Amino acid sequence: MPAAAPRNFESRTLYHGDNLPFLRGMNSGTVDLIATDPPFNKSKDFHATPDSLAQGARFEDRWSWDKDVHAEWVDAIQDDWPAAWFAIDNARLVAGDDMGAFLCWLGVRLMEMHRVLADHGSIYLHIDHTAHAYVKTLMDAIFGRKNFQNEMVWYYSGGGASRSRWARKHDTLLFYTKSTKWTFNVDDVRTPHKWVDGQLRADGTERDPKGKLPDDVIELHGVMPWSKERSGYPTQKPLALYERIIKASSNPGDMVLDPFAGCATTPVAAERLGREWVGMDIWDGAHKMVLDRLRDEKLAVPDADSDARIRASSPLAALSTPPRRRCARTRARPPRRPLPSRCRYLSRPARR
C-alpha cells in the first residue's frame, strides 16, 4: 500500500470561498474526521440576527437545475460515481429539479470529502427531514452502504409545536466511515446513569461506574437566545453537540475538517479538544467569527501571527488539482440526461 501523501495545508486555517476548489487541492487521505453542517435544501433565505457577532451573514438555501448545476459536475459524477448519479437522477424524478440540483452540488463535494479522508477516517453530515432520505442514498453510493455506521438523532425541545402533526424536534447526523477500521472513543462519550428517587434506575443490567454506553440519540437544547455561546448566526449548532462527535471519532492531534464552517462551531470545538482543524466558508465574515469565538472561549490566539494562520486565504487554489479518478467499476455507465442549454454555475449569495 503506498504511503499517505503529506498534508499540503496548515492547521488552524480558514479558507474563504467556495469549498470545492479547496477540497480538490487537498492531498488525499490527509483528514481524520469531517464534521459538517451543509445547507439542507430548505427553499428559504437565512439571515443573521441584527447587531450580533454574525451581523450581515446570510445564505440562500434554494436550488435550481438551470442555474446551480455545472456540466463538469455531471460529467464527474457520471464518470467516477455512477451509483451516485442514479441517486441524483432518481431524486430529481421523485422530488423535483431543486432536489436533483442540491444533490448534484453536494455530491461533487462529498466525492472530494471521501478522497481527502484517511482510511481510518469518519464523516458526520448534519441534515434534517427536508432532504435526509435523498442524501442518505447519495452517501451510500459514495461512502458505501456497509460503511454507514449510525443515523445520529439530535433531539431538541422548545417552542414551535404543531397542532396538525407531530412537532419536528430533531435533526439527523449521518455517520459514515471510510473503511472497516475507524476511531471510536466510547469511554469519552459515556453518559451518567439515571437516578430515580436517589437510586440508580434498575433494569437488570450491570452498571459500569464509567457511565452508560452512548446510543444514537442525543438530547440537547439548541443555542438559546440568552446563551453566551450565541453568535446570531442563523443556523448555529451547539458546541456540546460537535464536541461529542469530535471526542468520539478523533484523537488529540488529529485533523478535523469542516467544509461548511459557518459560525465556526466545529473549529472552536476542535480547538477546545486539542485537535488540529481546517475550516472553509464562503461568508465574508467567517474569518472574524473564528477569531472572535476563539477569544470568547479564552483559547489561544496570542498574536498577529496566529491571526494570519486563521486567515481568509487560498493557497490550495494555486496547487495543481488532483486528477479526477476514472471509474474503476465494471458497471455500465448510465445514460446521460442532457443539460438545459442555459445550465451554468453562477455565483450565489453567501452560504454556509
Side-chain angles (χ1 to χ4, degrees), residues 2 4 9 22 29 48 56 94 106 139 163 170-171 175 183 207 235 268 282-284 292 302 324:
F9 53 90
F22 299 133
V94 172
L106 182 61
M139 293 193 74
R163 293 183 179 274
H170 79 275
D171 285 0
F175 168 31
T183 298
R207 300 292 180 178
T235 55
V268 172
I282 203 167
W283 173 40
D284 290 342
D292 287 345
R324 251 194 322 115

Side-chain angles (χ1 to χ4, degrees), residues 58-269:
R58 62 182 297 271
F59 65 92
E60 181 182 319
D61 195 6
R62 302 172 188 271
W63 305 89
S64 164
W65 191 266
D66 290 349
K67 295 181 180 179
D68 298 314
V69 176
H70 196 292
E72 178 265 333
W73 300 351
V74 175
D75 286 344
I77 297 170
Q78 289 182 334
D79 288 349
D80 296 347
W81 299 93
W85 177 251
F86 280 124
I88 293 167
D89 207 30
N90 287 337
R92 189 180 180 193
L93 291 171
V94 172
D97 281 357
D98 64 320
M99 187 64 73
F102 171 66
L103 292 183
C104 192
W105 174 87
L106 182 61
V108 291
R109 289 158 175 80
L110 287 172
M111 288 160 53
E112 297 302 328
M113 292 182 219
H114 180 273
R115 182 184 59 78
V116 303
L117 266 183
D119 287 343
H120 61 267
S122 302
I123 179 172
Y124 289 76
L125 189 115
H126 197 132
I127 203 73
D128 78 352
H129 66 278
T130 312
H132 165 272
Y134 304 104
V135 172
K136 169 69 169 63
T137 303
L138 180 65
M139 293 193 74
D140 280 349
I142 294 174
F143 287 87
R145 182 174 60 86
K146 291 184 178 179
N147 290 328
F148 170 65
Q149 304 303 333
N150 280 105
E151 180 175 292
M152 305 293 297
V153 172
W154 169 38
Y155 168 71
Y156 42 85
S157 58
S162 172
R163 293 183 179 274
S164 60
R165 59 173 177 255
W166 305 104
R168 292 170 176 162
K169 291 296 174 186
H170 79 275
D171 285 0
T172 300
L173 294 103
L174 298 173
F175 168 31
Y176 284 77
T177 56
K178 180 77 172 279
S179 70
T180 57
K181 295 182 179 180
W182 65 90
T183 298
F184 194 77
N185 301 310
V186 65
D187 289 341
D188 291 347
V189 288
R190 288 178 181 265
T191 55
H193 292 295
K194 291 186 177 180
W195 292 72
V196 178
D197 296 329
Q199 296 183 341
L200 279 172
R201 187 174 65 183
D203 60 5
T205 60
E206 184 178 349
R207 300 292 180 178
D208 190 312
K210 291 182 289 188
K212 175 180 174 291
L213 288 172
D215 57 36
D216 59 4
V217 177
I218 301 173
E219 186 173 351
L220 182 68
H221 286 299
V223 183
M224 298 302 181
W226 54 85
S227 170
K228 287 195 249 183
E229 185 182 326
R230 187 173 179 82
S231 69
Y233 195 81
T235 55
Q236 183 176 358
K237 304 302 189 297
L239 276 168
L241 177 62
Y242 279 76
E243 285 186 332
R244 189 167 177 80
I245 291 167
I246 292 168
K247 282 180 185 177
S249 293
S250 69
N251 296 311
D254 280 356
M255 174 57 69
V256 179
L257 168 66
D258 185 355
F260 300 95
C263 62
T265 296
T266 296
V268 172

Side-chain angles (χ1 to χ4, degrees), residues 286-302:
H287 171 235
K288 183 175 185 299
M289 176 63 72
V290 173
L291 292 173
D292 287 345
R293 291 196 69 188
L294 288 174
R295 291 188 178 106
D296 288 347
E297 293 289 329
K298 297 181 170 51
L299 298 171
V301 186

